[in-house]
Amino acid sequence: MKADVQYNDFVGTAAADISDNLGTKYGDYLDSFGKYFKINEERFKVVGISIYGTEDFHISLYCIDNIKTAQKGKEHIVDMSISIPDEDKKDILDLLFKRLHIVLHSKFDTKYSLMEYAEEIDYDDYHNNEE
């Protein structure tokens, strides 16, 4: 599944390292999110995670439903919405990830999204604070 929003003004990629809290406790696997959220691991196998929104965001786990897969004879993937109490939302990304990197480019870009950047510079070195 690819990330998608209403207009897709920007598209890109994301990469993440699992937090030390989860990785040490459960291992560096997608299943660690299932363990953290205490899903039924006999029925569901986590194969992906989705974070949607900004301040009022929600998290979903993409899971294989083993029971429906057995019944239908082909993999049945579900999008399991996770309830996170409002007081925990501000810290949830830090609880789940040690590092999270999102790179976005114009949805029409066919050149720069494929290139490696030549140099990293600091904004403050080039920004004139005098108005």
Side-chain angles (χ1 to χ4, degrees):
M1 169 156 224
K2 290 178 72 173
D4 188 27
V5 291
Q6 185 174 0
Y7 298 110
N8 285 330
D9 295 327
F10 309 109
V11 295
T13 62
D17 290 330
I18 198 164
S19 73
D20 287 339
N21 180 44
L22 291 182
T24 302
K25 189 171 186 177
Y26 302 119
D28 294 344
Y29 308 102
L30 283 169
D31 289 341
S32 300
F33 299 123
K35 290 179 189 329
Y36 177 76
F37 291 114
K38 298 180 174 83
I39 68 167
N40 179 341
E41 294 182 86
E42 288 183 26
R43 178 162 186 175
F44 300 103
K45 176 177 176 39
V46 180
V47 295
I49 186 169
S50 170
I51 301 166
Y52 185 88
T54 54
E55 185 176 331
D56 185 26
F57 64 91
H58 77 271
I59 294 175
S60 293
L61 299 178
Y62 298 129
C63 302
I64 299 170
D65 182 330
N66 293 320
I67 291 176
K68 289 189 177 181
T69 294
Q71 290 170 347
K72 293 182 175 194
K74 66 175 189 170
E75 276 188 331
H76 185 85
I77 309 293
V78 297
D79 179 346
M80 181 185 294
S81 184
I82 301 294
S83 296
I84 301 167
D86 285 340
E87 63 271 12
D88 294 341
K89 279 190 175 181
K90 72 178 187 90
D91 297 322
I92 195 69
L93 293 179
D94 287 333
L95 288 169
L96 299 177
F97 303 109
K98 185 177 192 174
R99 284 176 284 278
L100 177 61
H101 187 190
I102 301 166
V103 177
L104 299 171
H105 288 89
S106 167
K107 67 180 172 182
F108 303 112
D109 176 41
T110 59
K111 178 180 178 182
Y112 300 108
S113 62
L114 302 174
M115 295 177 72
E116 294 295 322
Y117 291 86
E119 179 181 6
E120 185 175 316
I121 63 172
D122 192 314
Y123 170 83
D124 290 336
D125 292 343
Y126 296 90
H127 180 69
N128 183 356
N129 289 323
E130 298 174 20
E131 301 209 9

